[in-house]
Every structure is written in structure tokens, then in C-alpha cells.
Amino acid sequence: MVSTRKTLRLLVTLQDLDLMIRESHDPASKGEEEDMGFELKNVETLQTARTKLAEQIGPRWLGVYERVARRYGRAVVPVQERICLGCFVTLPTSIAHKNLEDPEITVCENCGRILYWL
Ligand SMILES: [Zn+2]
């Protein structure tokens, strides 16, 4: 069983990977001088890393992540001063407090994004 903190870290990494994969598919972000073969190989490496990460995260949180990512693009967002930086709604004290004492993965009640505390 993977710990909560580790799962959260994996989710943040997954989000980074997804961003990198998306960028590598975007022609505008590709350098003109880049060799296409090299580029494809990089995407493959990223995809392999993503598959491994997804396995470690497990179906429950991966499901939440995929659903929110499809909706917003960015599924994991930081919380600062009790404000969800995804939708800018102030979280109830109970959630912010709960997370500090018992670090379980929390989802924003307003937007559904996965939250992590800075
Ligand atoms: Zn939110």
C-alpha cells in the first residue's frame, strides 16, 4: 500500500508528465531543427514513464485524476492560505485542518481538483 504523501507526489509527477507529453505533441512548441525520430523516441519514453506511474498510483486516484484532468487540464493544484488555487474558493477550516493532522488526499469541494498543501 502506497502512502498518501507518496500518492500525492506521484499525482503531481503524473501531471508534469502529461504536460510534457502534450507539449511534445504540439507542433508550435517543437524546434524547427529538431529531428523527428529523436522527438518520437522522447514521447515514447514519457509514455512508458506515465504507464509505470499510473500503475503505482492505483485505479482510485488515477480515476479521479483522469476525470478532473479531462475537465480542467490541470487536476492537481496547490492550496495556499486555505484557498484552492484551481478555483480560488476558500476551503472550509475543517478540510484545511484535517489535512494537516491526517494527511489524506483531499479534493476541492467546489471544483473537484486534487489538492496539495504547500
Ligand atoms: Zn477548487
Side-chain angles (χ1 to χ4, degrees), residues 35-48:
D35 175 67
M36 283 306 287
F38 183 71
E39 184 68 31
L40 279 175
K41 205 164 166 247
N42 284 355
V43 176
E44 255 174 53
T45 309
L46 290 173
Q47 294 282 14
T48 308

Side-chain angles (χ1 to χ4, degrees), residues 11-62:
L11 283 164
V12 172
T13 313
L14 185 72
Q15 177 165 267
D16 280 347
L17 270 178
D18 276 348
L19 193 71
M20 288 160 78
I21 291 168
R22 256 202 312 272
E23 276 176 358
S24 64
H25 284 306
D26 178 10
S29 70
K30 274 181 194 160
E32 279 176 28
E33 73 276 26
E34 260 181 299
D35 175 67
M36 283 306 287
F38 183 71
E39 184 68 31
L40 279 175
K41 205 164 166 247
N42 284 355
V43 176
E44 255 174 53
T45 309
L46 290 173
Q47 294 282 14
T48 308
R50 192 199 191 277
T51 307
K52 278 186 191 154
L53 257 181
E55 277 169 13
Q56 286 185 75
I57 291 167
R60 186 186 166 201
W61 288 107
L62 189 67

Side-chain angles (χ1 to χ4, degrees), residues 84 86-87 108 110-111 113:
C84 164
C87 65
C108 175
N110 185 56
C111 68
R113 289 179 177 92

Side-chain angles (χ1 to χ4, degrees), residues 46-92:
L46 290 173
Q47 294 282 14
T48 308
R50 192 199 191 277
T51 307
K52 278 186 191 154
L53 257 181
E55 277 169 13
Q56 286 185 75
I57 291 167
R60 186 186 166 201
W61 288 107
L62 189 67
V64 174
Y65 173 88
E66 301 275 16
R67 200 177 59 236
V68 183
R70 259 199 304 276
R71 192 162 164 197
Y72 297 113
R74 200 177 160 87
V76 191
V77 296
V79 175
Q80 201 163 34
E81 312 270 331
R82 276 175 53 212
I83 293 169
C84 164
L85 295 185
C87 65
F88 302 99
V89 155
T90 304
L91 303 164

